[in-house]
């Protein structure tokens, strides 16, 4: 995608949604770490449903440790891989208490030492909690980057590095949210909704998906 088209691409997404936010519910950086770790192979809606009551009482790593793994499992049992995720949440909480004084570090390398936290999760936390200009490449961004031609790559890291290079100011802070939301609600995996896409003319995807055909009216039987 040409640089002028990249600017126009982001400008349209920004005009449509000037202040994009994560759809995960969290009241502080620690809750955000937990929510993002739980969201792997799960929907934000499902995570929010599971954590809403949990986060009413658990706001710090120590409170999570006091809750314990078994009780945590009861809160998140509707989320896929909840046994493994519960173990990781307890382990990352213990590390935050032991190594970082119960505070979430503002550093990617440090975040990636937490159990269950990979580069994508670290980038989300850095962006949402600390205002860093990071690009958290999930399946939606990976698809949108490759499909549109904005940032093509064979791996999430390759797409991330290309987005970092291609995305200009003033779009860098919110770029990954615009791309996630666009992929989630418009540029869908199985059937991208090109007919209502505000950046369709800038996108390299061909052929564009046509609008769904209107339902045919029911044919009433003739009167005798």
């Amino acid at each position: 995608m040409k640089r002028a088209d990249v600017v126009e691409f982001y400008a349209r997404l920004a005009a449509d949604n000037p202040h994009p936010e994560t759809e995960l519910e969290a009241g502080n950086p620690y809750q955000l770490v937990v929510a993002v770790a739980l969201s792997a192979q799960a929907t934000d809606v499902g995570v929010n449903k599971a954590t809403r009551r949990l986060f009413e009482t658990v706001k710090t790593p120590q409170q999570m440790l006091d809750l314990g793994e078994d009780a945590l499992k009861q809160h998140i049992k509707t989320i896929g891989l909840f046994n493994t995720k519960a173990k990781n949440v307890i382990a990352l909480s213990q590390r935050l208490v032991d190594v970082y004084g119960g505070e979430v570090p503002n550093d990617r390398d440090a975040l990636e030492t937490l159990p269950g936290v990979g580069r994508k999760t670290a980038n989300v936390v850095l962006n949402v909690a600390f205002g860093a200009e990071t690009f958290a490449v999930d399946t939606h961004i990976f698809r949108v980057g490759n499909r549109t031609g904005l940032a093509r790559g064979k791996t999430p890291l390759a797409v991330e590095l290309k987005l970092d290079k291609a995305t200009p100011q003033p779009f860098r802070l919110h770029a990954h949210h615009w791309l996630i939301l666009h992929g989630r609600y418009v540029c869908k995996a199985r059937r991208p909704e090109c007919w209502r896409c505000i950046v369709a003319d800038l996108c390299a995807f061909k052929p564009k998906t046509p609008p769904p055909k209107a339902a045919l009216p029911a044919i009433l039987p003739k009167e005798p």
Side-chain angles (χ1 to χ4, degrees), residues 118-131:
R119 186 178 181 92
K120 185 202 77 172
T121 297
N123 280 338
V124 172
V125 174
L126 290 172
N127 179 267
V128 176
F130 300 110

Side-chain angles (χ1 to χ4, degrees), residues 143 147 183 185-197 205 207-211:
R143 179 175 67 255
R147 183 182 276 167
Y185 297 112
V186 180
C187 195
K188 300 176 182 179
R190 293 186 179 181
R191 184 179 171 83
E193 298 180 0
C194 303
W195 67 89
R196 67 181 190 89
C197 175
F205 178 70
K208 302 295 192 228
T209 309

Side-chain angles (χ1 to χ4, degrees), residues 130-141:
F130 300 110
E133 295 173 352
T134 55
F135 301 84
V137 178
D138 68 350
T139 56
H140 297 299
I141 290 187

Side-chain angles (χ1 to χ4, degrees), residues 13 53 61 102 119 124 144 201 209:
L13 296 180
R53 290 187 63 188
R119 186 178 181 92
V124 172
V144 171
D201 59 309
T209 309

